[in-house]
Amino acid sequence: MLPTIAWRGQSVIMIDQRKLPGQEVYVRCRTYIQVAQAIEKMVIRGAPAIGVAAAYGLVLGVMTMRAETARSLEADFERIYRRLERTRPTARNLFWALERMRAAYEANRGAGLRAMKRALLEEAKAIEREDAETNRLIGVHGRDVITDGATVLTHCNAGALATAAYGTALGVVRAAVGQGKKVRVFADETRPFLQGARLTVWELRQDDIPVVLVTDNMAGWLMHRGEISVVIVGADRIARNGDTANKIGTYSVAVLAKENGVPFYVAAPMSTVDAALADGSAIPIEERKPEEVREAGGRLITLPDVEVRNPAFDVTPARYIRGIITERGLSRPPFSFGVGPQ
Ligand code: MRU
C-alpha cells in the first residue's frame, strides 16, 4: 500500500503531495514546527492523514523539549499543542488526534519524562494503525453501494494519500474491486489544488483501477447523461445531523446528483464526526491564499491583483446525502451522529 506517512527513527517522513504525480519525493520532519508547516503547505493533506501527522508532530515536540520542571513541561506542551492545532481549521480529525494525544499525556504525567515520551509515541502509532483498520471496515460496510460495472464519481482525494492507508471513499472503491466487481472511477480534477487530477488519478493507477479524469464543471452534465452510477466522497467534518464539510465543490456535486437521481454517499471515520455541532452551520471553513486561484500549476492565469475568494471547503446539507459510511456501518437519513449508538 502507498506510504503516506511513517515514523522513522526520531523523525516523521511523508510523501510530498505537492509534487505528485510528477515526482515521488519524501519530506523528513525532525521538529514539530516542520510538521506544522508541512500540514499548512499541504505536503500532507486529507483529514485523517492530517490527524496522524499532528500526532507525530506532538511526539517530536515533546521528544525535543528539555523541560526541567513540571511547570515548564506544562507550558512547552501547551505551546506545541497550540501550534499544531492552528495549522488547518476544518479537518475535525486534527483536533480529535490532538485531544487523544493530550489524554495520553495526562495519563502518563506521573510516569517520568522518558516513559511519557514512549507512551506518546505508542499513542501516535496507534492512531495511525487504527486509521488504516478503520478504512478497511469502511470499505466492507460501503462496498455494496457499488454494483458490478458501476461508474463512481469522486471529488478531491479521499484515498490512501489522505489517510494512514487504503482511503475512505477510495477505500470503498478498493473493497468493491476486491469483490471482483468491474469499477470505473470518474475523478473531478478539484480546482484549485487539483487533488483529483494529481493525487486520485495517480493513486488509482498504482492499483490498476480504471480512472477517467474530468474537470469539475463536467460532472453535472455526465450525471444528466446517465454516465455516473454513484457518487462517493470523503469528509473533513460531519455534524450530528449529517451535514458534511468536504472539499470545495462537493456541495455542487451533491445538488446535481440529487437533481439527476444519482445516489450520493459520504465515507468517513467516526473521528471526522464533530458531536459538538448540531448542524453544519458552525463548521469553520478555511480560506486559503489567493495565489491558489490566480495560478494553475504555479503559472499565473489571470491578473496578478484580481480579488479572489478561496474557501477550501463547503458544507453539503444532509438532505442531499443518501448514506454515510463509517467503520460502524452504513447510516441512512435522518442522521443522528454522536447521539447514542449509530
Ligand atoms: O484540503 P485537503 O486536500 O486536505 O482536503 C481534503 C478533502 O476534502 C478530503 O476529501 C477529505 O479530507 C477526506 S480525506 C479521507
Side-chain angles (χ1 to χ4, degrees), residues 255-316:
V255 173
L256 287 162
K258 184 150 193 163
E259 165 69 16
N260 291 290
V262 177
F264 179 97
Y265 289 94
V266 171
M270 287 301 293
S271 52
T272 306
V273 172
D274 189 342
L277 300 182
D279 61 50
S281 59
I283 296 179
I285 301 294
E286 176 184 10
E287 286 268 348
R288 292 185 62 85
K289 56 182 186 176
E291 286 76 16
E292 285 181 358
V293 176
R294 291 193 194 117
E295 296 171 4
R299 282 184 41 200
L300 191 67
I301 54 165
T302 182
L303 300 180
D305 59 348
V306 67
E307 189 181 332
V308 158
R309 281 293 313 277
N310 189 12
F313 301 94
D314 56 30
V315 178
T316 297

Side-chain angles (χ1 to χ4, degrees), residues 42 45-48 50 88 155-159 162-163 168 195 234-236 246-247 313:
M42 297 181 46
R45 33 63 53 200
I50 291 169
R88 297 201 65 197
H155 191 73
C156 194
N157 171 268
T163 61
T168 53
Q195 290 94 330
D236 288 82
N246 193 48
K247 180 52 52 191
F313 301 94

Side-chain angles (χ1 to χ4, degrees), residues 78-337:
E78 253 355 274
R79 186 170 35 78
I80 296 161
Y81 193 99
R82 299 282 165 223
R83 177 66 187 91
L84 289 162
E85 196 185 43
R86 270 202 318 274
T87 49
R88 297 201 65 197
T90 306
R92 170 65 197 143
N93 312 61
L94 167 69
F95 304 91
W96 171 87
L98 285 172
E99 283 157 19
R100 223 176 118 163
M101 294 300 284
R102 184 192 285 284
Y105 164 77
E106 273 161 13
N108 288 279
R109 242 189 200 148
L113 200 51
R114 262 180 72 165
M116 195 232 278
K117 286 176 179 173
R118 241 193 339 263
L120 288 180
L121 178 57
E122 284 316 308
E123 190 66 5
K125 286 184 175 170
I127 289 172
E128 181 192 342
R129 194 176 52 245
E130 288 168 25
D131 185 59
E133 288 161 8
T134 292
N135 294 338
R136 286 178 197 281
L137 276 174
I138 289 173
V140 169
H141 292 308
R143 63 193 178 193
D144 288 343
V145 308
I146 302 178
T147 52
D148 191 19
T151 48
V152 180
L153 179 78
T154 192
H155 191 73
C156 194
N157 171 268
L161 287 166
T163 61
Y166 202 67
T168 53
L170 295 190
V172 174
V173 169
R174 286 194 166 97
V177 170
Q179 290 176 298
K181 292 172 184 162
K182 279 203 169 22
V183 182
R184 209 150 64 113
V185 176
F186 277 63
D188 279 349
E189 67 171 349
T190 320
R191 269 282 285 162
F193 206 70
L194 303 178
Q195 290 94 330
R198 297 187 304 102
L199 307 176
T200 297
V201 165
W202 182 79
E203 184 178 324
L204 291 173
R205 268 290 172 84
Q206 303 277 312
D207 277 6
D208 285 326
I209 296 174
V211 57
V212 180
L213 176 64
V214 295
T215 63
D216 300 336
N217 52 3
M218 294 172 185
W221 178 241
L222 293 175
M223 286 191 257
H224 181 72
R225 285 176 50 91
E227 294 189 37
I228 306 295
S229 322
V230 58
V231 179
I232 311 178
V233 298
D236 288 82
R237 197 183 288 238
I238 301 173
R240 289 205 302 271
N241 72 341
D243 289 355
T244 295
N246 193 48
K247 180 52 52 191
I248 190 76
T250 304
Y251 167 66
S252 320
V253 172
V255 173
L256 287 162
K258 184 150 193 163
E259 165 69 16
N260 291 290
V262 177
F264 179 97
Y265 289 94
V266 171
M270 287 301 293
S271 52
T272 306
V273 172
D274 189 342
L277 300 182
D279 61 50
S281 59
I283 296 179
I285 301 294
E286 176 184 10
E287 286 268 348
R288 292 185 62 85
K289 56 182 186 176
E291 286 76 16
E292 285 181 358
V293 176
R294 291 193 194 117
E295 296 171 4
R299 282 184 41 200
L300 191 67
I301 54 165
T302 182
L303 300 180
D305 59 348
V306 67
E307 189 181 332
V308 158
R309 281 293 313 277
N310 189 12
F313 301 94
D314 56 30
V315 178
T316 297
R319 65 178 178 279
Y320 294 107
I321 302 172
R322 184 75 64 92
I324 299 181
I325 308 153
T326 73
E327 67 272 32
R328 295 191 188 166
L330 168 56
S331 300
R332 300 281 186 186
F335 305 108
S336 56
F337 288 100

Side-chain angles (χ1 to χ4, degrees), residues 12-78:
V12 187
I13 55 164
M14 14 180 127
I15 192 161
D16 190 340
Q17 301 197 26
R18 299 165 308 174
K19 306 264 168 71
L20 289 171
Q23 288 169 273
E24 283 177 42
V25 292
Y26 287 82
V27 166
R28 184 180 291 272
C29 298
R30 292 192 165 83
T31 68
Y32 79 94
I33 301 274
Q34 288 172 344
V35 172
Q37 289 170 346
I39 297 171
E40 282 164 351
K41 293 180 180 158
M42 297 181 46
V43 169
I44 188 158
R45 33 63 53 200
I50 291 169
V52 175
Y56 281 133
L58 199 92
V59 172
L60 283 176
V62 171
M63 282 202 166
T64 46
M65 73 193 193
R66 278 179 313 232
E68 264 113 45
T69 64
R71 186 180 300 178
S72 64
L73 177 74
E74 208 73 5
D76 284 352
F77 184 86
E78 253 355 274

